[in-house]
Amino acid sequence: MNISDRQSQHGQWSSRWTFILAATGAAVGLGNIWKFPYLTGQNGGSAFVLIYIICVAALGIPLMMAEILLGRRGRATPIHTMKVLAEETNTTQWWQIIGWSGTIAGMLILSYYSVIGGWTLAYIVKSITGIFSGATGEFAASTFGTFVGSASSLFFWHTLFMVITMAIVAGGVQGGLEKAVQFLMPTLFVLLLVMVGYSMTTGYFGKGLAFLFTPDFSKLTGSSMLAAMGQAFFSLSLGMGTIMIYGSYVPKDTSIATTTIAIALADTAVALLAGMAIFPIVFANNLEASSGPGLIFQTLPVAFGNMTGGMIFGSLFFTLLLVAAWTSSISLIEPLVTWLIETFGMSRLKAAIYSGVATWLFGLGTVWSFNLWADLKFFGLTFFDLLDFITSNLMLPLGGILIALFAGWLMSAEHTKAELHIANPLLYTTWQILVRYIAPVAVFIVLLNAIGLL
Ligand code: PHE
């Protein structure tokens, strides 16, 4: 069989548009709205934001193109795709490590993602009951503190989140994924605009903008640069096979470059809007910008509690955030689920249950890291922080480099050109230089710099 005629066993997107929606659904999630603001706060603001944007543009876009092209050419799970492509390029099967590391990273990320997804679920309920009406920053912070201090509540919400995730995954690619994203993502976007509108009324909007966008390089350290790079990979869902597997469902005539740019722009816009909504509230209420993973749960309730119609907006906002979290969760576990199906001939249901239970169990470590294990530190980090560091800052960037090297050096130009369909030779060469040299070297420099070797 001619390799470019290979079809995915797991279905194909009905159109280019559904692929964009699904890939945007995978990219836009808690990473944009929950993680981007708190990392920005912890890493001093604008310089972090600038490095993040540079990483998205110079590393994220070319690497996403590389990842989609590998997926579309291999048309299988990341592990099998790499096996097939290694054969095609006559190189060692060791390249399957990309697939393995990505599949494991996806499961590890989902294990904590589910805990935060659980917080979102809990906050829908809290918003509906109206407890945030008239809330002060202090009240929102103490409500959050009490909530995460309770191991049993976090256990409950994490479990509920995972059970529903498994149910969606068991429904299959077309049924489970395509429907949800179409209407809900645009609505989330509009609600974020409403939130930014509220922040404009706080009197601290200018201060929020300055914090995000007036570069202050004195705040830049090796570890904040690494965090910014890791966040670019995390937010675009790169380096772990999600985009590869979504790419494997992409129809042959879709332009990978335009699609990628659209996804990256949408993803970055959502993150920046979230930052613009949150930081003015932080400053207006004397909250700590660097307060960590609880940041949005400590700030947004203040906005909802004090705006007209806040109860409705609040419940709706957390509901949409939840949907965004689910479309990402599904993509995090998809490599493992499809691998179980391809390798052991399991039914989708069984594969979803096995993957879900393993992920859920691992997630308990994160549940406890906010309460029972709060004082347990590994290299100065809690279990959650360590897991996040290993996955976002090490596994994804290293996976991304391997993908870049494979696509840039090992695949023939004939094959990459055929998949990418870039008519303009200059653009093709630019892409090639970025994946061959710039991306690998940049990732190494940032990593070495962060561990103090540069
Ligand atoms: N990009 C998602 C987010 O920002 C998280 C994610 C990472 C999803 C890696 C899939 C793969 O929330």
Side-chain angles (χ1 to χ4, degrees):
M1 186 177 69
N2 181 333
I3 194 161
S4 55
D5 293 333
R6 199 180 287 132
Q7 290 293 324
S8 166
Q9 301 174 28
H10 307 282
Q12 189 164 358
W13 303 111
S14 44
S15 70
R16 162 187 138 93
W17 181 232
T18 359
F19 167 69
I20 297 190
L21 281 172
T24 313
V28 175
L30 295 170
N32 307 61
I33 292 172
W34 157 74
K35 200 173 179 196
F36 173 79
Y38 93 73
L39 287 182
T40 303
Q42 279 180 334
N43 291 286
S46 55
F48 172 89
V49 176
L50 185 68
I51 302 288
Y52 168 75
I53 293 177
I54 294 175
C55 287
V56 167
L59 305 179
I61 292 178
L63 287 184
M64 186 181 280
M65 289 169 61
E67 198 168 332
I68 299 178
L69 100 83
L70 293 192
R72 189 162 67 177
R73 193 148 189 91
R75 294 248 188 248
T77 67
I79 295 173
H80 287 169
T81 287
M82 290 319 299
K83 182 166 185 286
V84 172
L85 295 181
E87 274 161 19
E88 187 186 52
T89 45
N90 288 322
T91 34
T92 148
Q93 285 296 331
W94 278 100
W95 286 97
Q96 278 188 53
I97 186 102
I98 297 178
W100 285 104
S101 127
T103 305
I104 295 169
M107 193 214 109
L108 295 179
I109 293 175
L110 182 58
S111 81
Y112 74 73
Y113 207 83
S114 162
V115 177
I116 315 299
W119 296 1
T120 313
L121 263 168
Y123 267 68
I124 299 175
V125 177
K126 285 191 204 299
S127 305
I128 294 176
T129 58
I131 59 161
F132 294 124
S133 155
T136 58
E138 208 177 314
F139 176 78
S142 77
T143 309
F144 177 77
T146 316
F147 171 62
V148 292
S150 158
S152 57
S153 334
L154 296 205
F155 178 92
F156 172 78
W157 294 109
H158 162 58
T159 308
L160 187 60
F161 186 91
M162 257 333 281
V163 168
I164 303 179
T165 305
M166 281 192 277
I168 305 174
V169 169
V173 175
Q174 306 283 344
L177 292 179
E178 289 194 2
K179 292 194 190 104
V181 269
Q182 315 224 8
F183 312 104
L184 298 172
M185 290 296 118
T187 321
L188 179 64
F189 201 80
V190 172
L191 261 189
L192 268 177
L193 291 176
V194 172
M195 305 294 305
V196 174
Y198 169 82
S199 282
M200 286 177 175
T201 68
T202 56
Y204 284 80
F205 194 64
K207 188 157 181 213
L209 285 190
F211 180 72
L212 287 169
F213 300 116
T214 311
D216 173 1
F217 291 102
S218 65
K219 300 268 172 51
L220 209 55
T221 61
S223 71
S224 67
M225 278 174 75
L226 177 60
M229 183 178 79
Q231 173 63 8
F233 278 87
F234 183 90
S235 193
L236 294 172
S237 312
L238 287 182
M240 57 141 285
T242 278
I243 291 296
M244 204 186 284
I245 201 160
Y246 278 22
S248 78
Y249 310 136
V250 170
K252 257 193 342 200
D253 51 359
T254 302
S255 155
I256 293 183
T258 356
T259 314
T260 300
I261 292 173
I263 298 170
L265 281 178
D267 189 68
T268 308
V270 172
L272 295 180
L273 281 178
M276 286 158 65
I278 285 160
F279 285 105
I281 305 177
V282 169
F283 297 127
N285 291 278
N286 268 326
L287 293 162
E288 269 310 322
S290 60
S291 68
L295 190 65
I296 65 160
F297 298 96
Q298 290 161 333
T299 47
L300 295 182
V302 179
F304 298 130
N306 295 289
M307 64 162 82
T308 357
M311 207 173 95
I312 299 176
F313 278 133
S315 330
L316 192 62
F317 180 85
F318 284 117
T319 309
L320 292 170
L321 180 58
L322 180 70
V323 175
W326 267 323
T327 53
S328 302
S329 302
I330 298 163
S331 72
L332 281 162
I333 203 68
E334 189 71 8
L336 181 59
V337 170
T338 39
W339 179 76
L340 289 173
I341 299 176
E342 271 185 17
T343 312
F344 300 105
M346 276 186 196
S347 67
R348 203 166 226 284
L349 176 66
K350 205 164 160 192
I353 293 176
Y354 281 4
S355 332
V357 170
T359 311
W360 172 82
L361 265 179
F362 217 86
L364 296 179
T366 295
V367 163
W368 294 327
S369 74
F370 290 97
N371 35 69
L372 308 180
W373 290 359
D375 295 327
L376 187 65
K377 298 278 165 70
F378 312 83
F379 313 103
L381 300 173
T382 63
F383 180 88
F384 158 70
D385 287 327
L386 181 71
L387 194 59
D388 181 35
F389 183 85
I390 294 176
T391 49
S392 309
N393 296 359
L394 301 179
M395 292 177 89
L396 300 190
L398 290 173
I401 292 196
L402 290 179
I403 291 172
L405 293 175
F406 190 89
W409 292 99
L410 294 174
M411 286 182 78
S412 69
E414 187 200 334
H415 288 166
T416 47
K417 267 191 195 140
E419 295 295 340
L420 289 175
H421 290 306
I422 303 182
N424 182 332
L426 191 66
L427 281 183
Y428 178 79
T429 311
T430 312
W431 173 79
Q432 216 180 21
I433 294 177
L434 284 166
V435 288
R436 279 193 166 181
Y437 307 99
I438 313 277
V441 171
V443 172
F444 265 115
I445 292 182
V446 174
L447 279 171
L448 292 181
N449 185 25
I451 52 176
L453 288 182
L454 273 185

